[in-house]
């Protein structure tokens, strides 16, 4: 299965942009890149996804490298409520023809007031 | 709209006991998943069900069994609990799709301690 690699932790000042990197060098051509985040004592929640092109939504932006072997989640103005563990996930196809989400270990984002 | 509901939220078991974690979703999703999360680690896939009537092993299936009872419900059973199964368990669901992206929705988790 494809794997993702992320830094264990990052810090950011409040109101500043944050760039969370992810390496996925074993990605296959049809794997979507997903980002989820997990707030303390909660289940993961969806942030953004992409395939090849950069993506924007109300929560964040996703920048995908041209070779798709890495991507960066961008939070434009970090707030204290953005403090969470951010997971970069590839949706991997199984041998049975179905798909599954494989999580990496995630990046713990600390936002400083 | 409740989304994904897991029961119980907390459970303490003695080694060797058995129990079933329940999960139900009300979004008419085809696919459902069980993950475990150990302290300081990401989520690891235990089992998943791409559609009603099918189940497949994930990364860490040993010591677990699953049942896709119907489209709404996907249960996880520990037949003989071991301390190594102390973890937080998350259930998730998503639409079944092939090449299209889909968003997965997660429950609040079940915190299981095996003593």
């Amino acid at each position: 299965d494809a794997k993702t690699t992320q830094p264990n932790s990052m810090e950011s000042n409040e109101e500043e942009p944050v760039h969370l990197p992810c390496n996925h060098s074993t990605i296959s051509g049809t794997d979507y890149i997903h980002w989820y985040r997990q707030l303390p004592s909660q289940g993961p929640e969806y942030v953004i996804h992409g395939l090849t092109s950069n993506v924007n939504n109300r929560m964040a932006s996703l920048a995908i490298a041209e070779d798709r072997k890495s991507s960066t989640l961008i939070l434009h103005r970090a707030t204290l409520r953005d403090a969470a563990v951010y997971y970069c996930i590839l949706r991997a196809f199984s041998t049975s023809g179905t798909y599954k989400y494989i999580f990496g270990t995630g990046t713990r984002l600390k936002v400083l007031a | 709209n409740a989304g994904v509901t897991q029961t119980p939220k907390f459970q303490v078991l003695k080694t060797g006991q058995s129990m079933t974690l329940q999960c139900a979703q009300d979004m008419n999703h085809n696919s459902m998943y069980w993950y475990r999360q150990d302290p300081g680690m990401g989520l690891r896939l235990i089992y998943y069900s791409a559609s009603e009537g099918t189940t497949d092993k994930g990364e860490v299936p040993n010591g677990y069994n699953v049942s896709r009872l119907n489209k709404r419900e996907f249960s996880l059973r520990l037949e003989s609990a071991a301390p190594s199964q102390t973890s937080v368990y998350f259930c998730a669901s998503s639409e079944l799709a092939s090449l299209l992206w889909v968003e997965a929705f997660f429950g609040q988790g079940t915190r299981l301690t095996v003593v």
Side-chain angles (χ1 to χ4, degrees):
Chain A
D1 285 336
K3 297 290 185 184
T4 65
T5 305
Q6 300 174 252
N8 288 332
S9 62
M10 292 184 66
E11 281 188 2
S12 172
N13 293 319
E14 200 176 8
E15 302 295 321
E16 290 187 357
V18 182
H19 291 232
L20 299 167
C22 179
N23 286 317
H24 30 77
S25 58
T26 57
I27 192 171
S28 67
T30 54
D31 284 350
Y32 277 82
I33 302 159
H34 296 244
W35 283 82
Y36 281 71
R37 71 181 186 181
Q38 187 176 20
L39 279 64
S41 301
Q42 295 190 30
E45 65 172 345
Y46 168 78
V47 177
I48 200 166
H49 77 281
L51 182 61
T52 57
S53 303
N54 294 344
V55 185
N56 299 295
N57 67 19
R58 63 176 179 81
M59 289 180 70
S61 296
L62 177 60
I64 302 172
E66 200 167 322
D67 63 6
R68 299 207 330 125
K69 293 185 176 182
S70 65
S71 62
T72 302
L73 177 70
I74 303 165
L75 306 180
H76 296 287
R77 290 179 64 192
T79 70
L80 296 177
R81 286 178 294 181
D82 290 324
V85 178
Y86 287 79
Y87 292 99
C88 170
I89 304 149
L90 299 182
R91 193 187 63 168
F93 279 86
S94 69
T95 54
S96 61
T98 58
Y99 67 89
K100 54 191 175 183
Y101 297 87
I102 304 296
F103 283 66
T105 54
T107 296
R108 183 174 298 278
L109 176 64
K110 185 175 181 180
V111 180
L112 307 174
Chain B
N1 191 345
V4 179
T5 303
Q6 292 181 233
T7 55
K9 288 186 171 49
F10 301 93
Q11 182 72 50
V12 178
L13 288 178
K14 293 183 179 178
T15 298
Q17 286 185 317
S18 62
M19 80 160 295
T20 300
L21 280 63
Q22 307 286 352
C23 176
Q25 53 91 8
D26 61 4
M27 295 170 283
N28 202 35
H29 285 167
N30 287 299
S31 300
M32 298 185 74
Y33 313 81
W34 276 106
Y35 291 87
R36 62 176 287 174
Q37 185 174 36
D38 300 316
M41 297 183 67
L43 279 75
R44 291 185 292 170
L45 184 63
I46 304 171
Y47 271 93
Y48 66 107
S49 170
S51 60
E52 187 178 357
T54 68
T55 60
D56 283 285
K57 295 179 180 179
E59 300 174 84
V60 289
N62 292 342
Y64 305 95
N65 284 301
V66 290
S67 294
R68 185 71 183 268
L69 303 170
N70 47 55
K71 192 172 185 180
R72 289 187 65 249
E73 298 172 289
F74 189 38
S75 63
L76 178 71
R77 183 161 179 83
L78 287 71
E79 291 291 351
S80 179
S84 61
Q85 294 177 305
T86 293
S87 190
V88 180
Y89 291 83
F90 288 97
C91 177
S93 72
S94 68
E95 275 294 324
L96 175 66
S98 55
L99 296 181
L100 296 176
W101 86 275
V102 289
E103 178 181 353
F105 293 82
F106 285 80
Q108 292 296 301
T110 295
R111 188 173 296 274
L112 175 67
T113 302
V114 183
V115 298

